[in-house]
């Protein structure tokens, strides 16, 4: 991203402690151990506009959450905006990334499904990460679920023909397939089960002036070419088409879809 596109503005004396956790491609460490990802790019752009040089810490989610719960002036990203977190006093900037949670099959699958009832009626098996909300949702719908240790295991089982479907987000699937050296068109989306926007989450008791500065800088990015550049760069890196909507954040565009529900 060019400095001309991002612009710059004076920063405040007070700065956020910036914490993220590994969740590619939104936020993770690159091969050289540096924070990178879609949401990291947004935070770095805001830092540039405000003249802030605070480093981004990459910590396990549970540890980062405790720090944000117990201290003011902490930004933890990205996070879902839940009623419980709002009630706990957290503030939110965004959305930054929109996660589309989808059911994927191998591209050579012959069945057609448009909802979870179709999955159950056809006695199809689906993989989801053990203990995740995805696994619980499928189980509540009566679907035969194979719980896996991680997304990569789910992908390998699908590609090997050991299961029929893989429940994951479209963005996560792109990273997993890339890391497994599999083509993106090895799988096909059938329908979107849920959309989950994620945000920059700000701890309770944060300096209101600091929060206002970051909110303003985030809004200012929307009137620049930043998101056009972001989408172009990360579409190439991930090998899938990305889009951006100010009301949704950055998202993976549907591709090779048989059926989609809004």
């Amino acid at each position: 991203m060019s400095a001309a596109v991002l612009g710059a503005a004076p920063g405040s004396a007070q700065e956020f402690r910036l914490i993220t956790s590994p969740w590619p491609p939104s936020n993770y460490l690159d091969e050289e151990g540096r924070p990178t990802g879609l949401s990291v790019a947004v935070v770095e752009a805001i830092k540039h506009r405000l003249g802030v040089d605070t480093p981004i810490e990459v910590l396990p989610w549970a540890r980062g959450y405790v720090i944000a719960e117990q201290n003011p002036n902490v930004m933890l990203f990205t996070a879902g905006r839940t009623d419980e977190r709002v009630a706990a006093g957290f503030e939110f900037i965004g959305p930054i990334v929109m996660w589309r949670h989808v059911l994927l099959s191998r591209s050579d699958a012959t069945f057609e499904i448009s909802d979870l009832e179709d999955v159950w009626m056809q006695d199809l098996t689906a993989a989801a990460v053990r203990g995740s909300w995805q696994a619980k949702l499928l189980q509540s719908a009566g679907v035969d679920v194979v719980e896996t240790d991680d997304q990569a295991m789910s992908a390998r089982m699908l590609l090997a023909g050991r299961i029929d479907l893989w429940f994951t987000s479209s963005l996560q699937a792109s990273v997993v397939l890339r890391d497994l050296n599999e083509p993106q068109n090895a799988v096909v989306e059938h329908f979107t089960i849920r959309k989950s926007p994620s945000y920059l989450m700000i701890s309770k008791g944060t300096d209101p002036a600091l929060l206002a500065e970051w909110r303003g800088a985030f809004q200012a990015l929307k009137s620049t070419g930043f998101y056009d550049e972001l989408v172009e760069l990360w579409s190439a890196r991930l090998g899938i088409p990305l889009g951006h909507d100010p009301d949704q954040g950055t998202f993976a565009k549907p591709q090779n879809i048989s059926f989609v529900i809004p």
Side-chain angles (χ1 to χ4, degrees):
M1 313 305 170
S2 66
V5 169
L6 299 179
S12 69
Q14 177 67 59
E15 294 182 6
F16 277 120
R17 180 176 180 182
L18 304 173
I19 301 175
T20 191
S21 60
W23 198 258
S26 176
N27 21 273
Y28 62 103
L29 292 172
D30 66 15
E31 294 179 353
E32 298 181 2
R34 298 172 301 190
T36 189
L38 292 165
S39 64
V40 170
V42 174
V43 171
E44 291 291 355
I46 296 174
K47 284 172 55 180
H48 183 86
R49 294 189 69 87
L50 297 177
V52 172
D53 59 4
T54 307
I56 295 172
E57 303 172 58
V58 180
L59 302 175
W61 172 260
R63 182 180 171 192
Y65 194 88
V66 169
I67 292 171
E69 272 189 315
Q70 298 178 352
N71 299 276
N73 302 322
V74 175
M75 176 183 292
L76 180 63
F77 66 96
T78 57
R81 190 179 188 276
T82 65
D83 292 341
E84 292 78 10
R85 291 171 182 171
V86 171
F90 286 106
E91 298 279 353
F92 297 85
I93 299 174
I96 307 299
V97 175
M98 173 64 76
W99 301 93
R100 285 195 307 105
H101 302 283
V102 298
L103 277 177
L104 304 171
S105 72
R106 286 178 19 160
S107 56
D108 60 359
T110 58
F111 54 80
E112 294 184 351
I113 52 175
S114 59
D115 55 31
L116 288 178
E117 184 175 2
D118 285 344
V119 177
W120 174 72
M121 290 290 291
Q122 296 184 51
D123 198 25
L124 301 175
T125 57
V129 174
R130 182 174 291 105
S132 66
W133 68 264
Q134 290 99 330
K136 294 174 182 177
L137 186 149
L138 292 175
Q139 289 164 346
S140 68
V143 174
D144 183 11
V145 180
V146 176
E147 296 191 75
T148 61
D149 292 337
D150 52 40
Q151 299 285 0
M153 180 181 291
S154 295
R156 286 193 292 265
M157 292 184 69
L158 177 69
L159 296 173
R162 295 172 57 191
I163 55 168
D164 301 305
L165 297 162
W166 171 23
F167 190 11
T168 184
S169 76
S170 50
L171 279 172
Q172 280 185 309
S174 69
V175 175
V176 171
L177 291 170
R178 182 193 64 188
D179 291 347
L180 293 176
N181 294 315
E182 296 286 350
Q184 298 294 326
N185 62 5
V187 300
V188 60
E189 295 181 19
H190 285 270
F191 61 93
T192 300
I193 293 180
R194 180 180 296 177
K195 292 182 179 180
S196 303
S198 60
Y199 298 76
L200 308 180
M201 187 168 74
I202 315 302
S203 60
K204 183 179 179 180
T206 287
D207 178 1
L210 177 63
L211 177 57
E213 275 194 342
W214 276 73
R215 285 195 196 279
F218 171 72
Q219 291 298 325
L221 282 183
K222 298 177 182 180
S223 62
T224 71
F226 170 76
Y227 283 106
D228 292 334
E229 293 186 21
L230 180 75
V231 165
E232 181 179 1
L233 174 64
W234 282 90
S235 292
R237 286 186 180 180
L238 299 176
I240 61 170
L242 301 180
H244 181 80
D245 184 315
D247 296 325
Q248 298 187 48
T250 303
F251 58 90
K253 292 182 178 179
Q255 52 181 337
N256 302 323
I257 290 185
S258 299
F259 297 92
V260 179
I261 55 175

PDB file of all heavy atoms in Angstrom, residues 160-183:
ATOM      1  N   ALA A 160      -9.599 -37.127   0.049  1.00  0.00           N
ATOM      2  CA  ALA A 160      -9.351 -38.568  -0.051  1.00  0.00           C
ATOM      3  C   ALA A 160     -10.635 -39.363  -0.239  1.00  0.00           C
ATOM      4  O   ALA A 160     -10.595 -40.583  -0.403  1.00  0.00           O
ATOM      5  CB  ALA A 160      -8.618 -39.059   1.192  1.00  0.00           C
ATOM      6  N   GLY A 161     -11.786 -38.676  -0.190  1.00  0.00           N
ATOM      7  CA  GLY A 161     -13.065 -39.356  -0.376  1.00  0.00           C
ATOM      8  C   GLY A 161     -13.575 -40.070   0.852  1.00  0.00           C
ATOM      9  O   GLY A 161     -14.487 -40.891   0.756  1.00  0.00           O
ATOM     10  N   ARG A 162     -13.028 -39.751   2.024  1.00  0.00           N
ATOM     11  CA  ARG A 162     -13.448 -40.421   3.260  1.00  0.00           C
ATOM     12  C   ARG A 162     -14.693 -39.787   3.861  1.00  0.00           C
ATOM     13  O   ARG A 162     -15.346 -40.392   4.727  1.00  0.00           O
ATOM     14  CB  ARG A 162     -12.298 -40.404   4.263  1.00  0.00           C
ATOM     15  CG  ARG A 162     -11.086 -41.217   3.792  1.00  0.00           C
ATOM     16  CD  ARG A 162      -9.895 -41.017   4.711  1.00  0.00           C
ATOM     17  NE  ARG A 162     -10.200 -41.365   6.084  1.00  0.00           N
ATOM     18  CZ  ARG A 162      -9.401 -41.074   7.119  1.00  0.00           C
ATOM     19  NH1 ARG A 162      -8.280 -40.392   6.914  1.00  0.00           N
ATOM     20  NH2 ARG A 162      -9.728 -41.433   8.341  1.00  0.00           N
ATOM     21  N   ILE A 163     -15.002 -38.561   3.459  1.00  0.00           N
ATOM     22  CA  ILE A 163     -16.229 -37.877   3.875  1.00  0.00           C
ATOM     23  C   ILE A 163     -16.817 -37.199   2.643  1.00  0.00           C
ATOM     24  O   ILE A 163     -16.149 -37.084   1.609  1.00  0.00           O
ATOM     25  CB  ILE A 163     -15.959 -36.826   4.973  1.00  0.00           C
ATOM     26  CG1 ILE A 163     -14.874 -35.848   4.486  1.00  0.00           C
ATOM     27  CG2 ILE A 163     -15.604 -37.476   6.297  1.00  0.00           C
ATOM     28  CD1 ILE A 163     -14.720 -34.628   5.343  1.00  0.00           C
ATOM     29  N   ASP A 164     -18.047 -36.747   2.772  1.00  0.00           N
ATOM     30  CA  ASP A 164     -18.723 -36.104   1.639  1.00  0.00           C
ATOM     31  C   ASP A 164     -18.588 -34.586   1.648  1.00  0.00           C
ATOM     32  O   ASP A 164     -18.550 -33.960   0.578  1.00  0.00           O
ATOM     33  CB  ASP A 164     -20.216 -36.454   1.649  1.00  0.00           C
ATOM     34  CG  ASP A 164     -20.454 -37.950   1.575  1.00  0.00           C
ATOM     35  OD1 ASP A 164     -19.947 -38.576   0.630  1.00  0.00           O
ATOM     36  OD2 ASP A 164     -21.144 -38.473   2.474  1.00  0.00           O
ATOM     37  N   LEU A 165     -18.536 -33.984   2.859  1.00  0.00           N
ATOM     38  CA  LEU A 165     -18.594 -32.530   2.980  1.00  0.00           C
ATOM     39  C   LEU A 165     -17.618 -32.030   4.037  1.00  0.00           C
ATOM     40  O   LEU A 165     -17.279 -32.749   4.983  1.00  0.00           O
ATOM     41  CB  LEU A 165     -20.011 -32.086   3.349  1.00  0.00           C
ATOM     42  CG  LEU A 165     -21.119 -32.389   2.336  1.00  0.00           C
ATOM     43  CD1 LEU A 165     -22.482 -32.300   3.005  1.00  0.00           C
ATOM     44  CD2 LEU A 165     -21.030 -31.434   1.150  1.00  0.00           C
ATOM     45  N   TRP A 166     -17.218 -30.800   3.872  1.00  0.00           N
ATOM     46  CA  TRP A 166     -16.323 -30.127   4.818  1.00  0.00           C
ATOM     47  C   TRP A 166     -16.965 -28.805   5.189  1.00  0.00           C
ATOM     48  O   TRP A 166     -17.271 -27.989   4.329  1.00  0.00           O
ATOM     49  CB  TRP A 166     -14.974 -29.932   4.149  1.00  0.00           C
ATOM     50  CG  TRP A 166     -13.968 -29.085   4.873  1.00  0.00           C
ATOM     51  CD1 TRP A 166     -13.910 -28.804   6.209  1.00  0.00           C
ATOM     52  CD2 TRP A 166     -12.852 -28.404   4.270  1.00  0.00           C
ATOM     53  NE1 TRP A 166     -12.833 -27.995   6.482  1.00  0.00           N
ATOM     54  CE2 TRP A 166     -12.161 -27.735   5.318  1.00  0.00           C
ATOM     55  CE3 TRP A 166     -12.373 -28.306   2.963  1.00  0.00           C
ATOM     56  CZ2 TRP A 166     -11.016 -26.969   5.075  1.00  0.00           C
ATOM     57  CZ3 TRP A 166     -11.244 -27.547   2.722  1.00  0.00           C
ATOM     58  CH2 TRP A 166     -10.575 -26.892   3.774  1.00  0.00           C
ATOM     59  N   PHE A 167     -17.201 -28.597   6.495  1.00  0.00           N
ATOM     60  CA  PHE A 167     -17.815 -27.369   6.986  1.00  0.00           C
ATOM     61  C   PHE A 167     -16.716 -26.449   7.493  1.00  0.00           C
ATOM     62  O   PHE A 167     -16.043 -26.743   8.486  1.00  0.00           O
ATOM     63  CB  PHE A 167     -18.809 -27.692   8.105  1.00  0.00           C
ATOM     64  CG  PHE A 167     -19.679 -26.530   8.536  1.00  0.00           C
ATOM     65  CD1 PHE A 167     -19.732 -25.345   7.824  1.00  0.00           C
ATOM     66  CD2 PHE A 167     -20.477 -26.640   9.665  1.00  0.00           C
ATOM     67  CE1 PHE A 167     -20.541 -24.292   8.220  1.00  0.00           C
ATOM     68  CE2 PHE A 167     -21.292 -25.599  10.082  1.00  0.00           C
ATOM     69  CZ  PHE A 167     -21.315 -24.418   9.352  1.00  0.00           C
ATOM     70  N   THR A 168     -16.514 -25.338   6.818  1.00  0.00           N
ATOM     71  CA  THR A 168     -15.469 -24.392   7.173  1.00  0.00           C
ATOM     72  C   THR A 168     -15.851 -23.033   6.607  1.00  0.00           C
ATOM     73  O   THR A 168     -16.927 -22.882   6.027  1.00  0.00           O
ATOM     74  CB  THR A 168     -14.109 -24.849   6.609  1.00  0.00           C
ATOM     75  OG1 THR A 168     -13.078 -23.962   7.053  1.00  0.00           O
ATOM     76  CG2 THR A 168     -14.112 -24.877   5.088  1.00  0.00           C
ATOM     77  N   SER A 169     -14.999 -22.048   6.774  1.00  0.00           N
ATOM     78  CA  SER A 169     -15.232 -20.761   6.117  1.00  0.00           C
ATOM     79  C   SER A 169     -14.507 -20.756   4.778  1.00  0.00           C
ATOM     80  O   SER A 169     -13.487 -21.423   4.603  1.00  0.00           O
ATOM     81  CB  SER A 169     -14.734 -19.600   6.984  1.00  0.00           C
ATOM     82  OG  SER A 169     -13.330 -19.494   6.935  1.00  0.00           O
ATOM     83  N   SER A 170     -15.042 -20.004   3.839  1.00  0.00           N
ATOM     84  CA  SER A 170     -14.446 -19.955   2.510  1.00  0.00           C
ATOM     85  C   SER A 170     -13.024 -19.403   2.561  1.00  0.00           C
ATOM     86  O   SER A 170     -12.140 -19.866   1.833  1.00  0.00           O
ATOM     87  CB  SER A 170     -15.318 -19.108   1.582  1.00  0.00           C
ATOM     88  OG  SER A 170     -15.618 -17.860   2.180  1.00  0.00           O
ATOM     89  N   LEU A 171     -12.782 -18.434   3.432  1.00  0.00           N
ATOM     90  CA  LEU A 171     -11.444 -17.874   3.559  1.00  0.00           C
ATOM     91  C   LEU A 171     -10.467 -18.893   4.137  1.00  0.00           C
ATOM     92  O   LEU A 171      -9.349 -19.049   3.646  1.00  0.00           O
ATOM     93  CB  LEU A 171     -11.467 -16.621   4.434  1.00  0.00           C
ATOM     94  CG  LEU A 171     -11.905 -15.316   3.762  1.00  0.00           C
ATOM     95  CD1 LEU A 171     -12.075 -14.213   4.797  1.00  0.00           C
ATOM     96  CD2 LEU A 171     -10.898 -14.894   2.701  1.00  0.00           C
ATOM     97  N   GLN A 172     -10.873 -19.585   5.201  1.00  0.00           N
ATOM     98  CA  GLN A 172      -9.987 -20.587   5.789  1.00  0.00           C
ATOM     99  C   GLN A 172      -9.694 -21.708   4.805  1.00  0.00           C
ATOM    100  O   GLN A 172      -8.568 -22.200   4.723  1.00  0.00           O
ATOM    101  CB  GLN A 172     -10.609 -21.157   7.063  1.00  0.00           C
ATOM    102  CG  GLN A 172     -10.438 -20.263   8.269  1.00  0.00           C
ATOM    103  CD  GLN A 172     -10.957 -20.929   9.525  1.00  0.00           C
ATOM    104  OE1 GLN A 172     -12.079 -21.423   9.568  1.00  0.00           O
ATOM    105  NE2 GLN A 172     -10.145 -20.939  10.557  1.00  0.00           N
ATOM    106  N   ALA A 173     -10.701 -22.115   4.048  1.00  0.00           N
ATOM    107  CA  ALA A 173     -10.497 -23.191   3.078  1.00  0.00           C
ATOM    108  C   ALA A 173      -9.418 -22.820   2.072  1.00  0.00           C
ATOM    109  O   ALA A 173      -8.586 -23.660   1.691  1.00  0.00           O
ATOM    110  CB  ALA A 173     -11.806 -23.502   2.360  1.00  0.00           C
ATOM    111  N   SER A 174      -9.392 -21.553   1.642  1.00  0.00           N
ATOM    112  CA  SER A 174      -8.401 -21.136   0.654  1.00  0.00           C
ATOM    113  C   SER A 174      -6.989 -21.294   1.192  1.00  0.00           C
ATOM    114  O   SER A 174      -6.080 -21.724   0.477  1.00  0.00           O
ATOM    115  CB  SER A 174      -8.656 -19.683   0.245  1.00  0.00           C
ATOM    116  OG  SER A 174      -8.378 -18.791   1.308  1.00  0.00           O
ATOM    117  N   VAL A 175      -6.783 -20.958   2.468  1.00  0.00           N
ATOM    118  CA  VAL A 175      -5.454 -21.066   3.073  1.00  0.00           C
ATOM    119  C   VAL A 175      -5.066 -22.525   3.264  1.00  0.00           C
ATOM    120  O   VAL A 175      -3.931 -22.924   2.986  1.00  0.00           O
ATOM    121  CB  VAL A 175      -5.418 -20.318   4.420  1.00  0.00           C
ATOM    122  CG1 VAL A 175      -4.081 -20.514   5.110  1.00  0.00           C
ATOM    123  CG2 VAL A 175      -5.680 -18.838   4.211  1.00  0.00           C
ATOM    124  N   VAL A 176      -6.006 -23.331   3.742  1.00  0.00           N
ATOM    125  CA  VAL A 176      -5.721 -24.751   3.972  1.00  0.00           C
ATOM    126  C   VAL A 176      -5.343 -25.442   2.668  1.00  0.00           C
ATOM    127  O   VAL A 176      -4.352 -26.187   2.605  1.00  0.00           O
ATOM    128  CB  VAL A 176      -6.936 -25.443   4.623  1.00  0.00           C
ATOM    129  CG1 VAL A 176      -6.739 -26.959   4.665  1.00  0.00           C
ATOM    130  CG2 VAL A 176      -7.150 -24.905   6.032  1.00  0.00           C
ATOM    131  N   LEU A 177      -6.117 -25.205   1.610  1.00  0.00           N
ATOM    132  CA  LEU A 177      -5.817 -25.832   0.319  1.00  0.00           C
ATOM    133  C   LEU A 177      -4.461 -25.371  -0.211  1.00  0.00           C
ATOM    134  O   LEU A 177      -3.681 -26.171  -0.744  1.00  0.00           O
ATOM    135  CB  LEU A 177      -6.909 -25.509  -0.689  1.00  0.00           C
ATOM    136  CG  LEU A 177      -8.273 -26.150  -0.417  1.00  0.00           C
ATOM    137  CD1 LEU A 177      -9.331 -25.568  -1.346  1.00  0.00           C
ATOM    138  CD2 LEU A 177      -8.204 -27.671  -0.564  1.00  0.00           C
ATOM    139  N   ARG A 178      -4.159 -24.090  -0.046  1.00  0.00           N
ATOM    140  CA  ARG A 178      -2.857 -23.578  -0.485  1.00  0.00           C
ATOM    141  C   ARG A 178      -1.724 -24.274   0.263  1.00  0.00           C
ATOM    142  O   ARG A 178      -0.732 -24.702  -0.339  1.00  0.00           O
ATOM    143  CB  ARG A 178      -2.791 -22.068  -0.253  1.00  0.00           C
ATOM    144  CG  ARG A 178      -1.493 -21.419  -0.726  1.00  0.00           C
ATOM    145  CD  ARG A 178      -1.370 -20.012  -0.188  1.00  0.00           C
ATOM    146  NE  ARG A 178      -1.285 -20.001   1.271  1.00  0.00           N
ATOM    147  CZ  ARG A 178      -1.318 -18.901   2.015  1.00  0.00           C
ATOM    148  NH1 ARG A 178      -1.471 -17.730   1.432  1.00  0.00           N
ATOM    149  NH2 ARG A 178      -1.230 -18.975   3.330  1.00  0.00           N
ATOM    150  N   ASP A 179      -1.878 -24.407   1.588  1.00  0.00           N
ATOM    151  CA  ASP A 179      -0.825 -25.025   2.397  1.00  0.00           C
ATOM    152  C   ASP A 179      -0.660 -26.512   2.100  1.00  0.00           C
ATOM    153  O   ASP A 179       0.422 -27.083   2.305  1.00  0.00           O
ATOM    154  CB  ASP A 179      -1.111 -24.817   3.884  1.00  0.00           C
ATOM    155  CG  ASP A 179      -0.958 -23.356   4.307  1.00  0.00           C
ATOM    156  OD1 ASP A 179      -0.390 -22.570   3.514  1.00  0.00           O
ATOM    157  OD2 ASP A 179      -1.411 -23.011   5.414  1.00  0.00           O
ATOM    158  N   LEU A 180      -1.735 -27.150   1.625  1.00  0.00           N
ATOM    159  CA  LEU A 180      -1.677 -28.565   1.256  1.00  0.00           C
ATOM    160  C   LEU A 180      -1.239 -28.763  -0.201  1.00  0.00           C
ATOM    161  O   LEU A 180      -1.195 -29.899  -0.682  1.00  0.00           O
ATOM    162  CB  LEU A 180      -3.036 -29.222   1.468  1.00  0.00           C
ATOM    163  CG  LEU A 180      -3.528 -29.349   2.913  1.00  0.00           C
ATOM    164  CD1 LEU A 180      -4.931 -29.944   2.951  1.00  0.00           C
ATOM    165  CD2 LEU A 180      -2.569 -30.202   3.749  1.00  0.00           C
ATOM    166  N   ASN A 181      -0.932 -27.650  -0.874  1.00  0.00           N
ATOM    167  CA  ASN A 181      -0.544 -27.688  -2.292  1.00  0.00           C
ATOM    168  C   ASN A 181      -1.636 -28.300  -3.168  1.00  0.00           C
ATOM    169  O   ASN A 181      -1.352 -29.025  -4.129  1.00  0.00           O
ATOM    170  CB  ASN A 181       0.768 -28.453  -2.481  1.00  0.00           C
ATOM    171  CG  ASN A 181       1.945 -27.748  -1.828  1.00  0.00           C
ATOM    172  OD1 ASN A 181       2.107 -26.536  -1.964  1.00  0.00           O
ATOM    173  ND2 ASN A 181       2.767 -28.505  -1.113  1.00  0.00           N
ATOM    174  N   GLU A 182      -2.886 -27.984  -2.810  1.00  0.00           N
ATOM    175  CA  GLU A 182      -4.033 -28.433  -3.586  1.00  0.00           C
ATOM    176  C   GLU A 182      -4.637 -27.248  -4.324  1.00  0.00           C
ATOM    177  O   GLU A 182      -4.662 -26.129  -3.794  1.00  0.00           O
ATOM    178  CB  GLU A 182      -5.098 -29.057  -2.670  1.00  0.00           C
ATOM    179  CG  GLU A 182      -4.657 -30.322  -1.946  1.00  0.00           C
ATOM    180  CD  GLU A 182      -4.579 -31.527  -2.872  1.00  0.00           C
ATOM    181  OE1 GLU A 182      -5.048 -31.431  -4.025  1.00  0.00           O
ATOM    182  OE2 GLU A 182      -4.059 -32.567  -2.432  1.00  0.00           O
ATOM    183  N   PRO A 183      -5.151 -27.447  -5.535  1.00  0.00           N
ATOM    184  CA  PRO A 183      -5.762 -26.329  -6.263  1.00  0.00           C
ATOM    185  C   PRO A 183      -7.062 -25.887  -5.605  1.00  0.00           C
ATOM    186  O   PRO A 183      -7.777 -26.692  -4.995  1.00  0.00           O
ATOM    187  CB  PRO A 183      -6.018 -26.922  -7.651  1.00  0.00           C
ATOM    188  CG  PRO A 183      -6.134 -28.398  -7.425  1.00  0.00           C
ATOM    189  CD  PRO A 183      -5.181 -28.702  -6.305  1.00  0.00           C
TER     190      PRO A 183
END
